[in-house]
Amino acid sequence: MKSRSSCFCFPAMEVMEIDAEKNLQRKQSTYLSLDETFEIQKETYRGQQYSQIYFARLHLMRTLLYSLVPHWKSHLKVCTVLGLEEEKECVIVGTLYKHMKLKPCILDEYSKERSSVPLVKPHNFMHPDDYLVLEDESGRVKLGGDVLAHSAFVTGVVVALHGKETGSGDFLVLDVLEAGLPPQIELPLQPREDKYVLFVSGLSVGSSASNPLQFQLLVDHITGHLGDEEEQGIAAEIVHVVIAGNSVEIPRGFLNGQNLASKDQSRLSEPVKELDILLSQIAAGMPVDIMPGSNDPANFSLPQQPLHRCLFPGSAAYNTFRSCTNPHCFELDNIRFLGTSGQNIDDLEKYSEARDTLEFMERTLKWRHLAPTAPNTLGCYPFTDRDPFLIESCPHVYFIGNQDKFGTCELKGSEGQLVRLISIPKFCETGVAVMLNMKNLECHTLSFRTQFGS
């Protein structure tokens, strides 16, 4: 990540009254935004090619892998693809390309009639005939053998491979070296007190599945207006709220390229107005970060830029309200958080296989790249001088929004890194939010699922 940007220390904004004799004061934490690397300052598409982001990725990752090779295979020579010699073992470093038989083609998706609904539905495009290719500036070579499972890798990952060129011109892979978890800053010294960060995603305000009561119960709980004295005491320990994308859902029927009537224009803005009202209640009591998602009124390509503050006239009046990028990186009391609204993991699920979301998250950390499939199958801005999705510093908490279910685990690195992985479910469908205790990085869920009787 880039150097630290401005630091904000939010004061205790709310005093929650329990009775006439006892008051609870909300705990506070220091906040440091690290979103600078994801911000696009002067957006332009003139003369820019996506090959440049691949060159930047390969250059940085190759330098790193070259430094690891002597500890891995010190007796082997490091070659380029063009310098391979038949039946001579060596190490090559390059970018993987996955040839997929079922991968959608943009020409196949083209339709003469404009439509906001994609013609290719999201699903897994894996096929038994898929194979991997490694390429660098000198050329490319097809990979063979059983060591490198094509089901676990995707296009865009940079790796080091030990193997040899066969008589057929393929490269027989004998071993694989991934970059591994990046270095991690030390956690603050003990003892730490109980402080909670609340994560929620997929609010989908405005959708047919959205339940306003469900969201209001969540707001009332974290602002201390719900529950008994013990529950209000826990609510006072929530120091930050992160909303990880897909906060509103605009009816797709309006987005067909035609002029809208005035009544339809007002219907488009209603979900955002409703969201602003609820966010204002949260921002009045504590800091809240809102990230854009695939369904929100933001740019499509990653990194998504912050939702414009004019969308939230009520919430933006508070200095505790922060509209952030996606991906989003920040520190609370020197604990580093990194997360996305889920597009990077959703795309990996289409082009590779894993046990669950947490395994996909683990792979991105070990590859040191948040979105390896960008720009091949995941839209991203054509950066010319850098790849902002490279993970240069290992977070302490890595979260992904808009997943089907909640999941969490601890990931340990070879150099003592410890990362809490969190899969945040869609609140609209599950009524579940996630609470993380900054004292020990343990987390649990809060369920606000409601059901009306017939």
Side-chain angles (χ1 to χ4, degrees), residues 97-146:
Y97 172 78
K98 191 170 185 177
H99 185 277
M100 304 188 69
K101 185 177 182 179
L102 300 180
K103 177 183 170 183
C105 174
I106 188 62
L107 297 178
D108 297 333
E109 296 184 46
Y110 178 77
S111 173
K112 293 183 180 179
E113 296 181 2
R114 289 180 295 179
S115 172
S116 62
V117 181
L119 299 179
V120 177
K121 302 297 182 181
H123 64 282
N124 191 277
F125 299 110
M126 296 285 295
H127 190 274
D129 295 336
D130 296 343
Y131 61 87
L132 292 168
V133 172
L134 188 84
E135 59 182 19
D136 59 15
E137 294 95 331
S138 67
R140 53 166 43 193
V141 61
K142 183 179 178 181
L143 304 177
D146 300 326

Side-chain angles (χ1 to χ4, degrees), residues 270-305:
E270 284 174 1
V272 180
K273 290 180 179 178
E274 182 179 348
L275 176 65
D276 184 37
I277 293 172
L278 294 166
L279 289 180
S280 297
Q281 299 176 44
I282 301 176
M286 74 196 73
V288 55
D289 291 356
I290 183 169
M291 302 162 55
S294 58
N295 294 337
D296 293 321
N299 59 304
F300 169 77
S301 300
L302 294 181
Q304 289 183 290
Q305 299 305 285

Side-chain angles (χ1 to χ4, degrees), residues 31 75 79 131 182 199 281 288 302 367 454:
Y31 178 87
H75 62 288
C79 299
Y131 61 87
F199 297 93
Q281 299 176 44
V288 55
L302 294 181
W367 294 335
S454 57

Side-chain angles (χ1 to χ4, degrees), residues 10-16 24-29 219 222-225 235-241 277-288 315 318-321:
F10 293 112
M13 297 298 297
E14 181 180 87
V15 175
M16 298 182 293
L24 276 181
Q25 189 173 29
R26 184 173 298 281
K27 292 183 178 180
Q28 51 186 303
S29 63
V219 173
I222 63 181
T223 54
H225 297 99
E237 295 175 337
I238 300 175
V239 297
H240 210 86
V241 175
I277 293 172
L278 294 166
L279 289 180
S280 297
Q281 299 176 44
I282 301 176
M286 74 196 73
V288 55
S315 308
Y318 295 92
N319 66 350
T320 51
F321 175 82

Side-chain angles (χ1 to χ4, degrees), residues 108-404:
D108 297 333
E109 296 184 46
Y110 178 77
S111 173
K112 293 183 180 179
E113 296 181 2
R114 289 180 295 179
S115 172
S116 62
V117 181
L119 299 179
V120 177
K121 302 297 182 181
H123 64 282
N124 191 277
F125 299 110
M126 296 285 295
H127 190 274
D129 295 336
D130 296 343
Y131 61 87
L132 292 168
V133 172
L134 188 84
E135 59 182 19
D136 59 15
E137 294 95 331
S138 67
R140 53 166 43 193
V141 61
K142 183 179 178 181
L143 304 177
D146 300 326
V147 174
L148 196 67
H150 66 80
S151 61
F153 289 87
V154 293
T155 297
V157 178
V158 180
V159 294
L161 302 178
H162 162 214
K164 59 183 178 181
E165 186 180 23
T166 64
S168 61
D170 296 346
F171 187 80
L172 179 62
V173 180
L174 302 176
D175 202 357
V176 184
L177 175 66
E178 298 173 343
L181 268 62
Q184 185 180 58
I185 60 173
E186 292 186 6
L187 281 171
L189 297 176
Q190 300 283 0
R192 300 196 301 271
E193 58 179 330
D194 289 322
K195 290 183 180 181
Y196 292 92
V197 180
L198 184 136
F199 297 93
V200 64
S201 69
L203 299 172
S204 298
V205 176
S207 72
S208 58
S210 177
N211 186 342
L213 175 60
Q214 201 167 259
F215 191 13
Q216 187 64 58
L217 286 173
L218 171 64
V219 173
D220 289 344
H221 175 75
I222 63 181
T223 54
H225 297 99
L226 190 68
D228 57 17
E229 180 176 336
E230 181 180 356
E231 290 175 333
Q232 290 184 339
I234 296 175
E237 295 175 337
I238 300 175
V239 297
H240 210 86
V241 175
V242 178
I243 302 175
N246 288 358
S247 300
V248 297
E249 185 168 317
I250 308 298
R252 290 187 179 272
F254 294 138
L255 306 176
N256 56 7
Q258 300 178 2
N259 293 328
L260 296 178
S262 57
K263 63 176 183 179
D264 292 335
Q265 292 178 2
S266 63
R267 288 181 62 186
L268 282 175
S269 62
E270 284 174 1
V272 180
K273 290 180 179 178
E274 182 179 348
L275 176 65
D276 184 37
I277 293 172
L278 294 166
L279 289 180
S280 297
Q281 299 176 44
I282 301 176
M286 74 196 73
V288 55
D289 291 356
I290 183 169
M291 302 162 55
S294 58
N295 294 337
D296 293 321
N299 59 304
F300 169 77
S301 300
L302 294 181
Q304 289 183 290
Q305 299 305 285
L307 296 167
H308 202 287
R309 295 178 68 88
C310 72
L311 297 172
F312 310 102
S315 308
Y318 295 92
N319 66 350
T320 51
F321 175 82
R322 185 176 181 86
S323 185
C324 306
T325 61
N326 172 36
H328 181 31
C329 185
F330 61 98
E331 286 184 7
L332 285 175
D333 291 346
N334 296 315
I335 298 175
R336 180 162 297 187
F337 295 75
L338 174 65
T340 76
S341 296
Q343 294 99 315
N344 59 330
I345 300 300
D346 293 342
D347 203 59
L348 287 179
E349 290 179 347
K350 297 178 187 179
Y351 301 99
S352 60
E353 294 177 341
R355 296 187 306 271
D356 51 28
T357 299
L358 297 176
E359 185 175 1
F360 283 120
M361 296 173 67
E362 180 180 337
R363 288 177 187 172
T364 57
L365 286 178
K366 290 182 176 179
W367 294 335
R368 298 200 189 187
H369 203 280
L370 272 175
T373 55
N376 183 48
T377 55
L378 182 63
C380 83
Y381 180 76
F383 293 92
T384 58
D385 57 344
R386 62 191 176 97
D387 184 350
F389 306 112
L390 289 171
I391 305 174
E392 298 180 7
S393 179
C394 188
H396 300 110
V397 180
Y398 180 33
F399 62 92
I400 299 293
N402 298 291
Q403 300 305 299
D404 293 332

